[in-house]
């Protein structure tokens, strides 16, 4: 895979246009500084990619970007959103910090049956890991009504939540149930965001076997 060098940065993939899909790309480069994938276009989809060992795994500066089904590891930031809006980011593994600057994104989809990026049976939010094992998905208990999802939402950036973060690791032995936990975020007049949860039966998920 060829490199792109520009203004002192090194990119393995540089997406600057519109309506671009970056898919099934592996960047197993070790000890390399710079950006793995640099997205400055709009309506770009980054799906099913594996990025590791860059200073920044995926850098996004453009609207309407989707990141889905990917495993991203980096020395400084797995994902860096800068001046980017209306993005959709779900069903990924972020093994390291994420940085959000002047950007907005939706960090989950309503849980639905399907094989997620960790091999579990529910597609929903993302897995939030840290190399030292203290990541949110690693330390937060799973939901009693859905073992594939954490029991609490994760605040990715001020006021921006992954409402259905994936539990890590995913359970290997579970049976079918019909309950899931639904979270809702409400912003009050004092600009304080309150997150509450209720149990519903609108999405089929799983619970552990006895």
């Amino acid at each position: 895979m060829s490199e792109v060098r520009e203004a002192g940065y090194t990119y393995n993939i540089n997406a600057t246009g519109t309506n671009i899909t970056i898919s099934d790309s592996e960047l197993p480069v070790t000890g390399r500084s710079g950006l793995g994938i640099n997205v400055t276009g709009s309506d770009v989809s980054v799906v099913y990619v594996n990025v590791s060992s860059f200073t920044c795994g995926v850098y996004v500066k453009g609207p309407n970007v989707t990141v889905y089904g990917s495993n991203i590891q980096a020395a400084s930031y797995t994902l860096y959103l800068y001046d980017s809006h209306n993005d959709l980011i779900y069903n990924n593994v972020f093994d390291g910090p994420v940085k959000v600057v002047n950007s907005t994104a939706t960090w989950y989809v309503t849980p639905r049956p399907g094989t997620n990026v960790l091999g579990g049976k529910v597609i929903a939010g993302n897995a939030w890991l840290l190399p030292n094992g203290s990541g949110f998905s690693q330390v937060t208990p799973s939901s009693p009504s859905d073992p594939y999802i954490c029991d609490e939402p994760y605040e990715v950036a001020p006021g921006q939540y992954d409402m259905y973060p994936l539990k890590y690791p995913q359970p290997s032995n579970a049976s079918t149930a019909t309950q899931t936990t639904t979270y809702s975020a409400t912003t009050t007049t004092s600009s304080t965001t309150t997150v509450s949860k209720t149990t519903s039966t609108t999405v089929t998920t799983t619970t552990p076997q006895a």
Side-chain angles (χ1 to χ4, degrees), residues 15 46 75 92 108 119 123 173 180-181 192:
V46 180
N92 303 285
Y108 63 94
I123 295 173
N173 188 16
T180 189
T181 301
T192 300

Side-chain angles (χ1 to χ4, degrees), residues 89-168:
I89 301 166
Y90 71 103
N91 193 37
N92 303 285
V93 175
F94 296 113
D95 192 359
V98 168
K99 189 172 182 66
V100 180
V101 178
N102 191 33
S103 300
T104 57
T106 298
W107 300 90
Y108 63 94
V109 293
T110 302
R112 59 177 183 250
T115 303
N116 65 42
V117 69
L118 293 173
K121 298 180 181 180
V122 174
I123 295 173
N126 304 281
W128 305 96
L129 315 182
L130 290 175
N132 64 5
S134 65
F136 184 87
S137 293
Q138 295 160 300
V139 301
T140 305
S142 60
S143 169
S145 59
D146 189 338
Y148 298 104
I149 296 174
C150 294
D151 195 32
E152 300 177 5
Y154 173 60
E155 189 171 21
V156 184
Q160 298 189 50
Y161 289 87
D162 182 345
M163 307 303 283
Y164 304 103
L166 298 176
K167 176 60 183 170
Y168 181 89

Side-chain angles (χ1 to χ4, degrees), residues 18-138:
T18 60
N19 298 310
I20 296 172
T21 297
I22 300 169
S23 180
D24 298 321
S25 299
E26 292 187 3
L27 309 176
V29 182
T30 58
R32 176 66 55 83
S33 62
L35 312 178
I37 298 176
N38 179 47
V39 178
T40 55
S42 61
D43 300 289
V44 176
S45 295
V46 180
V47 296
Y48 304 118
V49 301
N50 296 295
V51 183
S52 63
S53 303
F54 290 89
T55 303
C56 178
V58 178
Y59 178 85
V60 176
K61 186 181 180 182
N64 305 316
V65 173
T66 298
V67 183
Y68 168 81
S70 297
N71 286 271
I72 305 172
Q73 183 182 41
S76 294
Y77 299 110
T78 54
L79 176 69
Y80 194 128
L81 301 186
Y82 183 80
D83 199 21
S84 182
H85 300 281
N86 199 34
D87 300 327
L88 177 60
I89 301 166
Y90 71 103
N91 193 37
N92 303 285
V93 175
F94 296 113
D95 192 359
V98 168
K99 189 172 182 66
V100 180
V101 178
N102 191 33
S103 300
T104 57
T106 298
W107 300 90
Y108 63 94
V109 293
T110 302
R112 59 177 183 250
T115 303
N116 65 42
V117 69
L118 293 173
K121 298 180 181 180
V122 174
I123 295 173
N126 304 281
W128 305 96
L129 315 182
L130 290 175
N132 64 5
S134 65
F136 184 87
S137 293
Q138 295 160 300

